[in-house]
Amino acid sequence: IDLGASYNVVGIKYTPRADGKTRGKIKAVEVYVTDDPNNWGLVAGSGTLITDPNDISDHTLLFNGKQGHIVVVRSLGEVKGGDWASAAEINVYQQSTGSCVHVGPQVTLAPKQKEGVPAGTAVTFTISVKNNDTAACSSTTFDVTSSVPQGWSPAVLGKNPPNFTLAPGATGSTTLQVTSPVSAVNGFYTVTGTATSESNSSLTGSDTAQYTVSNISPGDFTLSSSTGSTSVQQNSVSPGITITTAPTGGFNAVVQLSATSQGGGALPAGVTATFNPSSQPAPGGGSSTLTFSATAGATTGTFNITVTASGGGVNHNITISLTVTSLPAGPPSPIPQTNWKLVSADSQETNCANSPATNAFDGKTSTIWESQWCGTIAPMPHIIKVDMGATYSVSAFIYTPRQDLIKRGKIAQYRFLVSTDGVSWTQVASGTLISDPTNSDPVKVAFSATPARFFWLEADVADASGGPFTSVAEITVLGN
C-alpha cells in the first residue's frame, strides 16, 4: 500500500471478509514499513489476526513507530491453513501525539491443548486479556465470555464479575473451567474465550483452545524376574536372570529395559548389565535374559540394582541384589606379554647397539634393553613404563639381567610401581636386585596382590658395577 506521503506508522487494522465465506482470512501476518518497494527492510510488527474461521470482527496489530510511505502486509497463512489471502478492509494507523486510538483487545487462551481426559472431567484454562489501545486512551472495561460445545455445562470463570478494567497496554488474567458431559465421546472439542469492550461492542478479541476427551485406558504391563538375587565373580559373567513383561488392559507399546544402581546412579565400577533382547516389541510382552559382567578389577560387595521397564508412558521397577566376589586366591603365573605395549622409557641405546626398550618384554633373554651409553650417557635414574593391556591382580615380578657376560647395567637399587590407569601409581616393592655384577641369575620379587594394568620399573643411583647404566634382558610380571 502506497500511502502517498511518509508517516510514522504504528499499526494496522484488518477487517476480514463478511460475505459468509472463510477463504483467505489471515491468521499470521508480518508488516513492513519502507520507502523502497524492492527492499522492505526489517519487520516492523508481526502477530496473529484471525483464529476462528467464522470471526468477522476487526483486528488490530500495533507496533513501535516506523517512518515510511509504503506499508507491506504479508500473510504467512490463512486461518484454515490454505494458500489464499483476503481482506474486506485494511486501515493504517499513524503516530499522533496525544491521540487515542481504540482497538480490539488481544485474548490468549492457554494451554492450547490439554492431554486427553475422561468425559466429565473439569479442565482449567487460563484466559488473558490485553488492552491494545494507544497510550493516550483512558482505561477500558472488557467483558469476558466463553463458548463451549452444545450440551456442555457452562464454563466457569474464576472472576466475578467477569470483566477487566485495563489501562492501555495492561493485561488481566483469570481461570476458565470447562467440564464435558459424562456422555461425551472421544474427540477434540473447541473452547473459545472472548473479550468485548463495554463501550464499543465492535472492539472484541477471542482465542480458542482444545479440550480432548479420551475414555480409552492406555493400559499397563507387569514386570517380574525369575530371581531376586545373583552373584558374579571378578573377571566373569553371572548366570542369566529371566526378566518378563506382560501387557494388561489393552497396553500396546515397545518396552525398553535398563539397569542402574538403586536411586538411578551408575552400576558399580567394573560391572556392566546386558539384556538380551534389550526391548520387547509392541504390544510389549516377552522375556529377556539379564546377565552381569565383572572385570578383574570390579568393585566387590553386595549392591541393590534397579531394573526398569519403560514404554507407552508407563514405568515399572524391580530390585535385584547383586553380589560381586573377588577372584579366588591361587598361585600367580606369568602374565602373557602378547598385548604389552611400551608406554615410555627414559632412554634406549639404538645408535651403537640394537637395544630398544621393547626388548625388555619380547620373550627373549638373548636381547636386552640398555639405557643410552654411546656418545651422551643418559643420567640415572632409568625408568621403563609398560601397559599390560588389561587389569590383573599382580603379586610378583622377575628381573632377568643380561646373559652376555657383560656386567654393564645390571640393576642394583630399584623401585617397582603399579597403576590401574597409568596416572596414579602405587609403589609395591623396592630394594636391591643385583649386588654382584658377575651374577646373571633371574631375581624374583614378591609383594601383596594389587590390581594393575601398568607397571613402572626404576633403576636408582647406579648399577651393580657402580656405573650410570641400566640393562634388562626380560621383565616378567606374575599375577592372576
Side-chain angles (χ1 to χ4, degrees):
I1 305 170
D2 190 336
L3 303 178
S6 182
Y7 296 91
N8 186 19
V9 178
V10 296
I12 65 166
K13 180 172 74 173
Y14 170 75
T15 303
R17 66 192 303 167
D19 58 359
K21 299 179 180 179
T22 61
R23 183 172 62 244
K25 291 185 177 182
I26 298 174
K27 181 178 181 180
V29 68
E30 289 180 346
V31 180
Y32 301 80
V33 180
T34 181
D35 289 314
D36 183 352
N38 297 316
N39 183 9
W40 302 348
L42 299 176
V43 175
S46 62
T48 300
L49 296 177
I50 301 293
T51 59
D52 180 359
N54 298 313
D55 189 355
I56 60 173
S57 60
D58 293 339
H59 290 267
T60 301
L61 175 68
L62 297 178
F63 43 82
N64 293 329
K66 188 172 182 181
Q67 197 72 27
H69 75 279
I70 296 174
V71 175
V72 180
V73 180
R74 182 187 183 201
S75 171
L76 301 179
E78 65 139 21
V79 69
K80 285 188 173 181
D83 296 328
W84 309 284
S86 64
E89 286 291 325
I90 295 178
N91 289 286
V92 178
Y93 292 117
Q94 66 167 317
Q95 181 67 51
S96 177
T97 304
S99 65
C100 169
V101 178
H102 289 289
V103 296
Q106 177 182 334
V107 177
T108 304
L109 198 57
K112 288 299 180 187
Q113 180 176 346
K114 284 272 193 177
E115 62 183 32
V117 295
T121 302
V123 174
T124 301
F125 301 89
T126 298
I127 183 169
S128 300
V129 180
K130 180 181 179 181
N131 185 350
N132 282 331
D133 293 349
T134 59
C137 298
S138 58
S139 297
T140 299
T141 298
F142 298 97
D143 292 326
V144 180
T145 58
S146 62
S147 174
V148 295
Q150 185 175 4
W152 288 35
S153 301
V156 178
L157 281 163
K159 191 176 189 301
N160 189 20
N163 59 38
F164 294 100
T165 300
L166 302 171
T171 300
S173 299
T174 188
T175 56
L176 179 66
Q177 189 178 84
V178 180
T179 305
S180 61
V182 294
S183 59
V185 298
N186 292 342
F188 305 99
Y189 299 88
T190 300
V191 176
T192 304
T194 302
T196 305
S197 170
E198 284 190 350
S199 59
N200 185 348
S201 61
S202 67
L203 299 179
T204 184
S206 62
D207 193 19
T208 61
Q210 185 171 282
Y211 182 116
T212 304
V213 176
S214 177
N215 294 310
I216 300 176
S217 170
D220 201 348
F221 64 88
T222 60
L223 173 66
S224 61
S225 64
S226 58
T227 181
S229 63
T230 189
S231 63
V232 61
Q233 190 180 87
Q234 289 176 328
N235 206 31
S236 63
V237 179
S238 72
I241 300 174
T242 301
I243 305 296
T244 302
T245 56
T248 62
F251 182 87
N252 186 13
V254 175
V255 175
Q256 298 285 344
L257 299 171
S258 62
T260 61
S261 287
Q262 196 169 49
L267 294 173
V271 175
T272 57
T274 302
F275 293 91
N276 184 23
S278 60
S279 64
Q280 298 297 344
S287 295
S288 176
T289 300
L290 167 63
T291 55
F292 294 96
S293 301
T295 64
T299 302
T300 59
T302 299
F303 310 93
N304 285 328
I305 306 300
T306 300
V307 174
T308 302
S310 304
V314 180
N315 298 304
H316 288 295
N317 300 317
I318 56 175
T319 300
I320 303 291
S321 177
L322 172 66
T323 300
V324 181
T325 59
S326 301
L327 286 167
S333 59
I335 294 172
Q337 297 173 327
T338 308
N339 296 319
W340 288 19
K341 294 180 181 179
L342 178 68
V343 175
S344 64
D346 71 290
S347 69
Q348 55 187 2
E349 182 54 66
T350 56
N351 292 323
C352 297
N354 183 24
S355 302
T358 52
N359 283 354
F361 52 90
D362 65 356
K364 303 174 184 177
T365 58
S366 59
T367 62
I368 62 171
W369 163 51
E370 286 188 288
S371 61
Q372 184 178 340
W373 52 263
C374 181
T376 301
I377 298 175
M380 302 289 285
H382 297 306
I383 299 170
I384 184 172
K385 297 179 184 178
V386 177
D387 178 358
M388 296 183 289
T391 300
Y392 300 90
S393 178
V394 300
S395 56
F397 77 93
I398 299 173
Y399 166 65
T400 302
R402 63 193 306 159
Q403 304 292 302
D404 56 5
L405 303 181
I406 297 175
K407 301 176 182 178
R408 183 177 60 237
K410 294 181 179 180
I411 299 175
Q413 299 295 315
Y414 79 96
R415 293 198 307 147
F416 192 79
L417 299 87
V418 296
S419 171
T420 56
D421 58 8
V423 177
S424 299
W425 295 86
T426 301
Q427 180 173 301
V428 293
S430 63
T432 301
L433 292 176
I434 300 291
S435 57
D436 179 359
T438 64
N439 183 7
S440 297
D441 294 333
V443 179
K444 179 180 177 180
V445 177
F447 47 84
S448 298
T450 307
R453 172 172 174 159
F454 302 82
F455 70 81
W456 164 341
L457 176 61
E458 178 177 322
D460 293 328
V461 185
D463 64 12
S465 298
F469 311 107
T470 293
S471 62
V472 176
E474 280 295 307
I475 303 173
T476 304
V477 179
L478 291 80
N480 299 104

